[in-house]
Amino acid sequence: MPSASQYPAPRLDSRPAETFTATLGDLAARLEVAAPAATGTVFTGVALATDHVRAGDLFLGIKGAHAHGARFAAKAVEAGATAVLTDADGAALVPDGVPTLVVDDPRLAAGPASAFLYRDPVASMTSIGITGTQGKTTTAFYVAAAAGMAASGTIGSIGTTVGDDFFPPVLTTPEAPELQALFAVMREQGIGTVAVEASSHALVLGRVDGFAFDAGVFLNLGHDHRDYHPTQADYFAAKALLLTPPHAKVGIVDIDSHWGRVLAEQATVPVRTTSASGSEAADWRAEDVTLRAHGSEFTIRSPRGERVRFSTQLTGAFNVNNILAAVAALAESGRELADLAPGIAALPSVEGRLQRFDFGQSFTAIVDSAHKPEAINAALRAIRTTTPEGRLIAVLGANGNRDVAKRRMMGRFAAMFADVLIITDDNPYDDDPAEIRASLIDGARSSVVEITEIADRREAMAAAVRLARPEDTVVILGKGHERYHALAGGEIGWYDPDVLREVIEAL
Ligand SMILES: CC(=O)N[C@H]1[C@@H](OP(=O)(O)OP(=O)(O)OC[C@H]2O[C@@H](n3ccc(=O)[nH]c3=O)[C@H](O)[C@@H]2O)O[C@H](CO)[C@@H](O)[C@@H]1O[C@H](C)C(=O)N[C@@H](C)C(=O)N[C@H](CCC(=O)O)C(=O)O
Ligand SMILES: Nc1ncnc2c1ncn2[C@@H]1O[C@H](COP(=O)(O)OP(=O)(O)OP(=O)(O)O)[C@@H](O)[C@H]1O
């Protein structure tokens, strides 16, 4: 059987095939800044990291947390950059004779400059931006499925899809030069709809500047992703940026949570609200919801009173919220509600999101990417409520080099739902793996649960499948779509579904 552990080699380049050209003078006019001396200098691409520079690029010298990017201008020119865009401090670092355009804030110019070079590619398609602590990836795939997968694109933590083509992920939301280049590739491929996960980092760092999404979706706000944001208010403000002009033409806000209701009041773009819990105040509602182990069925009611029955093969009440948001975003961007149901019903799974596998085993086997407390809570609750029979056997680890304070809580949430918990390693990097496992076990002890510690991830998965009876569910948490296992000695290739298949076949 071919291994699923290799990303399919992209058939496309991550930059458009057509050569786009612009001059520094034209760009200065577009950005409304003083023209540089070398106005006629031509550039054909944009890059903000020397590793990404191709011949003919404009290199963006941006002040970062560690260094001023303009320090690397000489390296960028060596790699083929024809010009540099930077601020006044950066200009002093650029070698003499290199054509340089000076702006106040080069990071904020990255989006507009890239969109300008590629002739505003996203304008030719329906674009949906999605933010929230949980559900971005799933909602992006629902948008693409509803609009027709073959003519849709998604950009997010699983990577970038362009119809059937695929690019592995670098960041959840790529930096603006890569994002705009991907939009240009999508335009060349005839993509009609694109769904983009907008992380809070991306919103703050201007990665989605330079264009307006047709609709910006806000799903929810938890505590899981706070490392970069000092307070919850700061985290909320970052997410709320998506619903601030010029980022989105209309905002779709899920008001089933506190922060959604706050945002619906505060957003400065026109807002349409959604609710899957029967809120009369919502413009878009899900009604008559039936949840099953293998998905759900419900009716979506539009603000105009239309009612269309939807179904999904994906588990979890939260997916009703995700579908409602995806559907409202597309419908508010001009799609017919009734046309959206077949694609949603046909979506078989989203990679690593409560993904079920049938390798011929008698029990239910699931792989899920949950690696933070709230996501573990949501995933295991969804399995437990829709599969009350049988035992839930969960395999759990925690990443090293981050989230130290969250490990006990991860163990605690897992133990609330699992009958058997197998604690193992999940990207320990150079942290002490035994210490990570001890924190998880410490948190899990607050509930009565059978806990086994098996450091080796493959052995842990093998133990889980050996324990499982036909009525049981085995869930492998943490990696989902990831293709690596990061150990102290370095990363090794790893794909949980492949290992799961191997340990099941060895039964
Ligand atoms: C915290 C954060 O977001 N950092 C971003 C920031 O890095 P930085 O400020 O540390 O950059 P720096 O090291 O000081 O370098 C300054 C500049 O010099 C450039 N440089 C540096 C060295 C060199 O040899 N050549 C070169 O060109 C860098 O590309 C950069 O433009 O600017 C860089 C590019 O300008 C980003 O790539 C980098 O994202 C890093 C890779 C990152 O890991 N970001 C993560 C945290 C992130 O954005 N995550 C979110 C999801 C979060 C979530 O789901 O919770 C995401 O959207 O992926
Ligand atoms: N609307 C939602 N509300 C609460 N939990 C959700 C929601 N949607 C998905 N989840 C849970 O969060 C997990 C991650 O979902 P998904 O990958 O779609 O979110 P994400 O925002 O893209 O997260 P990440 O950036 O970590 O990949 C799912 O497996 C599920 O357990």
Side-chain angles (χ1 to χ4, degrees), residues 48-51 59-70 72 75 107 136 170-175 197-202 205 207 224-226 228 235 372:
L48 61 59
T50 42
D51 285 355
F59 177 67
L60 308 181
I62 293 180
K63 187 173 181 332
H66 307 98
H68 198 304
F72 308 102
K75 201 168 151 191
R107 184 167 270 291
K136 298 183 291 298
V170 179
L171 294 166
T172 296
T173 315
E175 292 288 358
E197 293 183 44
S199 67
S200 51
H201 290 67
L205 294 172
R207 295 180 193 158
D224 269 0
H225 286 261
R226 285 256 312 267
Y228 183 67
Y235 183 34
K372 301 264 172 87

Side-chain angles (χ1 to χ4, degrees), residues 392-397 414 418-425 437 440-441 449-457 459-467 474-477:
L392 181 49
I393 302 169
V395 175
L396 175 73
D419 301 291
V420 179
L421 198 50
I422 302 183
I423 300 293
T424 189
D425 288 345
R437 293 193 302 272
L440 290 167
I441 292 169
V449 64
E450 194 182 320
I451 304 172
T452 311
E453 182 180 357
I454 305 176
D456 183 86
R457 192 170 177 87
E459 278 308 309
M461 288 165 72
V465 306
R466 277 198 301 270
L467 272 180
V474 169
V475 55
I476 314 297
L477 294 164

Side-chain angles (χ1 to χ4, degrees), residues 132-139 157 172 197 219-220 225 318-319 321-322 353-354 368-369 371 375 378-379:
T133 307
Q134 286 173 317
K136 298 183 291 298
T137 304
T138 314
T139 304
S157 51
T172 296
E197 293 183 44
L219 293 169
N220 49 53
H225 286 261
F318 45 74
N319 279 324
N321 293 71
N322 295 339
R353 274 62 186 169
L354 292 181
D368 188 79
S369 66
H371 55 274

